[in-house]
Amino acid sequence: MNQYIPPEQSLIEYPSRFPIKVMGAQVEGFVEAIAHVARQFDPEFDATTIEQRPSKGGNYLGLTITITATSREQLDELYRTLTTHPMVKVVL
């Protein structure tokens, strides 16, 4: 499934700031949980930079986290970790 992409063929230049959108139910602890995951992949991640957008009905919360991406492997693993997190509905 994951095919090796040589750095010269990548559309992303590493290291770079990389935004990721995460959506989940608007529940207590959701923002903190996502910040915790982000810090696992970017120790310098600053939770105060998380952008929050509640859904119209207020049931869901959209977050944008921006991490420092250092490799394709790091991003792939971060996406895998977020998509399998029990509080997360969608990752873009």
Side-chain angles (χ1 to χ4, degrees):
M1 183 172 144
N2 283 342
Q3 187 176 12
Y4 174 74
I5 298 174
E8 64 275 5
Q9 292 180 8
S10 176
L11 298 176
I12 301 170
E13 193 172 310
Y14 299 102
S16 69
R17 302 293 292 152
F18 194 86
I20 299 171
K21 296 186 183 296
V22 182
M23 185 153 205
Q26 188 160 336
V27 295
E28 188 173 328
F30 177 58
V31 175
E32 293 79 9
I34 300 309
H36 176 75
V37 171
R39 272 191 230 94
Q40 291 176 330
F41 293 89
D42 178 3
E44 301 297 314
F45 177 75
D46 180 2
T48 64
T49 64
I50 296 175
E51 296 174 33
Q52 301 183 37
R53 280 175 302 290
S55 66
K56 278 187 180 181
N59 296 324
Y60 295 96
L61 184 62
L63 305 177
T64 301
I65 59 171
T66 302
I67 60 123
T68 299
T70 57
S71 68
R72 169 75 184 257
E73 294 76 21
Q74 174 211 29
L75 285 176
D76 287 348
E77 189 58 33
L78 175 55
Y79 271 92
R80 268 191 293 278
T81 301
L82 287 169
T83 57
T84 59
H85 192 285
M87 297 177 92
V88 173
K89 301 291 182 198
V90 178
V91 179
L92 301 171

